[in-house]
Amino acid sequence: RGWGVGAGIFAAGVGGARRAAARGDGGAPAVRATEAGAIGDTVPVDELIHAHRIGVDVVWSRFAAEMTARQATPEELLAIGEQVWSWAGATTLRIVRRSARRDAGSGTRPTSAGERLQIYVRLLLTTPADPLAVRAFAGQPGAARLPFRARAVSGPTVLGDVVGSLQPWLAADPAGEPMVTVVDGDAAGLLTVRPSALCRNLVVGLGTAADAPDLAREFEAASRAVDTAVAFGMAGVFTCDELGLRAAVAQTPGLGERLVRQRLAPLREHGDDGAQLEEAVAAYLEHGLRLEAAARTLFVHPNTLRNRLRRFERISGTSLRDPADLAEVWWALAHQRVHGRPAAAMPAGDR
């Protein structure tokens, strides 16, 4: 029963996705190689794969909803689901293969082995893949790899510079070429182990070691780590877990907004004086609650800073001797650093 129901829904979903692709409204490309090729001859392969992924989501959503409505068992849902994802992986790779053949023939797209390797690595990092399809395309993937994303601390990110910095730890293809590429201006790729050097000139985000089908998910985690570290002005190699509360600040803006309203918004009513008090508590926290060190960075006497901190406590209703209050103030300040201040809360002179 499950296979009969699933096959009908699957066929209907694929047909709808193909019709959407023909209309150009974001559905999946057609399943047959000739149809996929016809679309791929006029649309860049990256855009075609993106549209295909949207179509797969449409198929899966419709299929899962219908199977649930018909009270299919979890085993039946899983069995058909495996076929959906196998179809998706095989079709994606068919698109890439045809595009590569077209590009090689026309000379309008990358044709060198290194450029084709970059396309393949980008596909692994950005598109969830079926393991059988991956092996069919590039052979047995071998050991689990660490996906990474790297960004220069200053200036543009140059792929060659990143390769030079990470060379000892980069995974390589059977020909010995490093498995690296470029994703939205950042260097990205696969590592065999975590870099042991400090990488002071780079911000490197790492995912967990994974096999090919899970690399895209772990690359998303690596991307979040890079964005978080950059927002906090950090350099080096990080996972999301190692960034701790900083990662939580970046990923839960709603909580940060509430803490800003609670701990910092009362200062806005005091204009420049309130901004001075916020600056004082920020320096105090940044220097590990060391009054003298914070005062030096503000070019004020420690007693002056002490008075400002007392006024901050009184206006904001915060106790800087309470660890919970301190954590909330830090979170509110960190939220503003990562996400920016609400426009309505900015001092008039900053607008």
Side-chain angles (χ1 to χ4, degrees):
R1 183 194 63 178
W3 279 100
V5 172
I9 300 166
F10 178 63
V14 170
R18 288 169 55 186
R19 289 191 295 273
R23 293 194 304 270
D25 59 0
V31 178
R32 294 199 301 272
T34 53
E35 296 177 9
I39 299 173
D41 287 340
T42 58
V43 179
V45 66
D46 289 348
E47 296 179 14
L48 190 58
I49 291 174
H50 178 67
H52 175 58
R53 291 176 63 185
I54 294 173
V56 172
D57 289 342
V58 171
V59 171
W60 178 250
S61 297
R62 178 174 176 181
F63 166 76
E66 186 66 21
M67 290 289 279
T68 300
R70 300 191 186 197
Q71 298 181 338
T73 67
E75 290 77 12
E76 292 169 337
L77 183 63
L78 177 61
I80 302 295
E82 289 175 347
Q83 295 300 308
V84 172
W85 295 118
S86 294
W87 162 76
T91 304
T92 298
L93 293 173
R94 184 181 295 118
I95 293 167
V96 174
R97 279 174 166 171
R98 180 176 176 87
S99 177
R101 290 195 296 268
R102 178 202 65 197
D103 296 342
S106 66
T108 59
R109 294 276 182 161
T111 57
S112 72
E115 290 170 321
R116 289 196 296 272
L117 178 60
Q118 285 196 31
I119 293 173
Y120 172 61
V121 173
R122 190 179 308 118
L123 177 67
L124 283 179
L125 296 178
T126 59
T127 305
D130 174 79
L132 295 177
V134 170
R135 283 197 290 272
F137 184 70
Q140 178 66 35
R145 300 302 188 198
L146 288 166
F148 77 89
R149 185 166 189 154
R151 191 175 302 168
V153 170
S154 61
T157 302
V158 180
L159 183 61
D161 293 344
V162 174
V163 171
S165 297
L166 300 178
Q167 184 69 53
W169 309 282
L170 288 173
D173 73 350
E177 293 298 320
M179 300 189 73
V180 295
T181 188
V182 176
V183 175
D184 296 332
D186 292 336
L190 302 175
L191 302 173
T192 55
V193 295
R194 182 191 179 100
S196 57
L198 294 179
C199 300
R200 296 182 185 277
N201 61 326
L202 293 173
V203 182
V204 181
L206 294 181
T208 302
D211 295 322
D214 299 318
L215 286 173
R217 181 191 65 211
E218 293 302 325
F219 182 68
E220 289 181 0
S223 299
R224 291 195 298 271
V226 165
D227 290 340
T228 299
V230 168
F232 282 92
M234 304 169 72
V237 182
F238 308 96
T239 65
C240 278
D241 288 346
E242 292 165 350
L243 290 167
L245 285 180
R246 294 180 180 87
V249 170
Q251 297 168 32
T252 55
L255 175 58
E257 290 170 4
R258 291 195 294 273
L259 292 175
V260 167
R261 289 195 297 270
Q262 180 180 357
R263 299 299 182 186
L264 301 180
L267 303 175
R268 314 298 187 215
E269 301 175 4
H270 296 263
D272 291 341
D273 185 47
Q276 191 178 67
L277 300 182
E278 183 177 314
E279 180 186 43
V281 74
Y284 182 58
L285 290 174
E286 184 176 346
H287 288 83
L289 311 186
R290 291 179 290 119
L291 193 73
E292 290 76 10
R296 282 195 297 271
T297 64
L298 296 173
F299 302 102
V300 299
H301 192 277
N303 287 339
T304 300
L305 177 56
R306 186 176 289 107
N307 288 334
R308 290 179 182 177
L309 295 177
R310 287 172 179 165
R311 289 168 57 210
F312 171 83
E313 289 181 309
R314 176 171 51 80
I315 293 173
S316 65
T318 297
S319 170
L320 296 179
R321 292 169 295 281
D322 184 331
D325 282 7
L326 272 176
E328 291 184 359
V329 172
W330 175 87
W331 194 302
L333 291 167
H335 172 86
Q336 289 189 156
R337 180 173 183 172
V338 174
H339 301 284
R341 293 188 182 190
M346 294 177 64
D350 292 343
R351 296 179 187 172

